[in-house]
Amino acid sequence: MHQSCTVDDVQHQPHLAEPRLKTGPHDVVQAAIDLTAGAAGGIACVLIGQPFDTSKVKMQTFPTLYKGFLDCFTSTFRQVGFRGLYQGTTPALLANISENAVLFMCYGFCQKIVRKLCGLESGTQLSDLQNAASGSVASWFAGLALCPTELVKCRLQAMYEMEASGKIPKGHNTVWSVIKTIFRTEGPLGFFQGLTSTWLREMPGYFFFFGGYETSRSILASGRSKDELGPVALMASGGVGGMCLWLAIYPIDCVKSRIQVHSMMGKQHGFLRTFIHIMRQEGVLTLYSGLTPTLIRAFPANGALFLAYELSRKLMMDQFSS
């Protein structure tokens, strides 16, 4: 709580005036802090969750090949070894760093826009619903950064199955070979295969992501400031946000993975035709193939994401303040 200070007080004691003027960092500095903190969160998310994400993509792309998550996990380990579970880690890091850096940077800007639209003063605490809306809009920009790197990641993760089934020739299982093949056969726009599906997934998904996170923080804060929450509460809130995201948008993610991986064999139909084809030919349960490893991954990975984001952001903000 700031105490009131009259004009006379300031005039007679000018040394008291300056400390009372507490301003935040410049918009450019704030954007750089949010971008860096988001990148830190993306790195933590990948290191914790990559083996589960690999299983998810394999089960989405080849739903009849594995009996379940454990079968997929153990089969991958047996066929390719431990590195098989971390296949696609390099593009996954690039994808998550770029996505989360852009996402959290734009999240800050979108929060300012929401304040203006709602007629709120700068720095006013937004409601959980308003934060969710800010995250949803920010995800549109993050999708542009995410799609190319996630395309490469998904293709690498499903490369063993694509080669084993004879759908593509062998020898294209490195990041650079995948990038060269996309550029040579599909051109620069080929890196945006599945962009529509990515947007359809990201915008509603991040509404629930930030909504779940902020609501959980409000509940755990129990009337205190959210900034007072410790690491365990932050991780729990991040885990809840991650699970809310995936439960809301998993079928859309399944269609996106199918389009991005199968486009190695040639041009694929768009989101709607692919979705209808899966529903008619394979059934609605196919859209939920790989959900188990996704939910297992969601809690610790997104908990680590938000913990890394909040702690690194607080550290940088404190450095700026000092």
Side-chain angles (χ1 to χ4, degrees), residues 63-74:
T64 60
L65 192 59
Y66 300 105
K67 297 175 183 177
F69 163 58
L70 285 177
D71 180 43
C72 181
F73 193 93
T74 55

Side-chain angles (χ1 to χ4, degrees), residues 192-258:
F192 290 92
Q193 285 270 6
L195 178 60
T196 301
S197 305
T198 300
W199 277 332
L200 287 172
R201 179 192 70 175
E202 298 289 279
M203 295 191 72
Y206 278 102
F207 178 88
F208 289 100
F209 185 61
F210 283 101
Y213 174 66
E214 295 293 349
T215 301
S216 296
R217 286 213 301 163
S218 295
I219 293 171
L220 292 174
S222 301
R224 296 174 296 155
S225 170
K226 293 179 181 179
D227 296 332
E228 297 177 22
L229 292 176
V232 174
L234 287 175
M235 288 194 71
S237 299
V240 170
M243 294 186 77
C244 288
L245 181 151
W246 286 110
L247 285 171
I249 52 85
Y250 194 81
I252 301 172
D253 183 71
C254 183
V255 175
K256 178 202 69 70
S257 295
R258 188 76 66 94

Side-chain angles (χ1 to χ4, degrees), residues 297-318:
R297 165 188 176 270
F299 201 91
N302 288 285
L305 185 157
F306 272 109
L307 180 63
Y309 167 75
E310 294 286 2
L311 293 183
S312 59
R313 184 177 186 275
K314 185 177 186 301
L315 178 64
M316 287 183 284
M317 292 289 283
D318 288 345

Side-chain angles (χ1 to χ4, degrees), residues 16-271:
L16 294 179
E18 188 174 342
R20 294 183 185 277
L21 299 175
K22 195 173 182 180
T23 59
H26 187 275
D27 286 350
V28 175
V29 176
Q30 184 66 69
I33 289 173
D34 289 337
L35 187 146
T36 306
I43 293 171
C45 185
V46 171
L47 295 179
I48 296 295
Q50 184 65 10
F52 301 100
D53 185 68
T54 297
S55 300
K56 180 207 75 167
V57 171
K58 288 176 181 290
M59 293 174 71
Q60 286 177 327
T61 312
F62 298 93
T64 60
L65 192 59
Y66 300 105
K67 297 175 183 177
F69 163 58
L70 285 177
D71 180 43
C72 181
F73 193 93
T74 55
S75 295
T76 301
F77 184 80
R78 189 169 57 251
Q79 294 161 351
V80 193
F82 187 73
R83 66 182 179 84
L85 297 171
Y86 276 89
Q87 190 74 273
T89 297
T90 300
L93 280 169
L94 291 174
N96 276 269
I97 290 171
S98 59
E99 179 193 22
N100 286 291
V102 174
L103 176 68
F104 283 101
M105 181 182 69
C106 292
Y107 182 50
F109 282 122
C110 290
Q111 285 177 316
K112 293 180 180 179
I113 293 172
V114 169
R115 285 190 186 96
K116 288 184 179 180
L117 291 175
C118 296
L120 301 174
E121 293 183 7
S122 177
T124 303
Q125 189 79 26
L126 295 179
S127 69
D128 296 334
L129 183 62
Q130 289 167 335
N131 279 318
S134 300
S136 180
V137 177
S139 69
W140 189 91
F141 300 97
L144 290 172
L146 172 68
C147 188
T149 47
E150 193 169 52
L151 172 70
V152 176
K153 174 190 75 74
C154 286
R155 289 189 176 185
L156 279 170
Q157 287 174 317
M159 191 65 69
Y160 178 86
E161 288 80 4
M162 293 292 284
E163 290 179 346
S165 61
K167 293 181 179 179
I168 60 168
K170 294 186 177 182
H172 298 278
N173 57 355
T174 66
V175 174
W176 183 236
S177 65
V178 171
I179 292 173
K180 285 196 298 183
T181 300
I182 295 171
F183 196 83
R184 185 177 64 250
T185 59
E186 304 170 53
L189 292 179
F191 288 96
F192 290 92
Q193 285 270 6
L195 178 60
T196 301
S197 305
T198 300
W199 277 332
L200 287 172
R201 179 192 70 175
E202 298 289 279
M203 295 191 72
Y206 278 102
F207 178 88
F208 289 100
F209 185 61
F210 283 101
Y213 174 66
E214 295 293 349
T215 301
S216 296
R217 286 213 301 163
S218 295
I219 293 171
L220 292 174
S222 301
R224 296 174 296 155
S225 170
K226 293 179 181 179
D227 296 332
E228 297 177 22
L229 292 176
V232 174
L234 287 175
M235 288 194 71
S237 299
V240 170
M243 294 186 77
C244 288
L245 181 151
W246 286 110
L247 285 171
I249 52 85
Y250 194 81
I252 301 172
D253 183 71
C254 183
V255 175
K256 178 202 69 70
S257 295
R258 188 76 66 94
I259 291 171
Q260 290 184 321
V261 172
H262 286 183
S263 60
M264 282 192 281
M265 299 181 293
K267 187 172 178 61
Q268 293 294 300
H269 295 307
F271 173 82

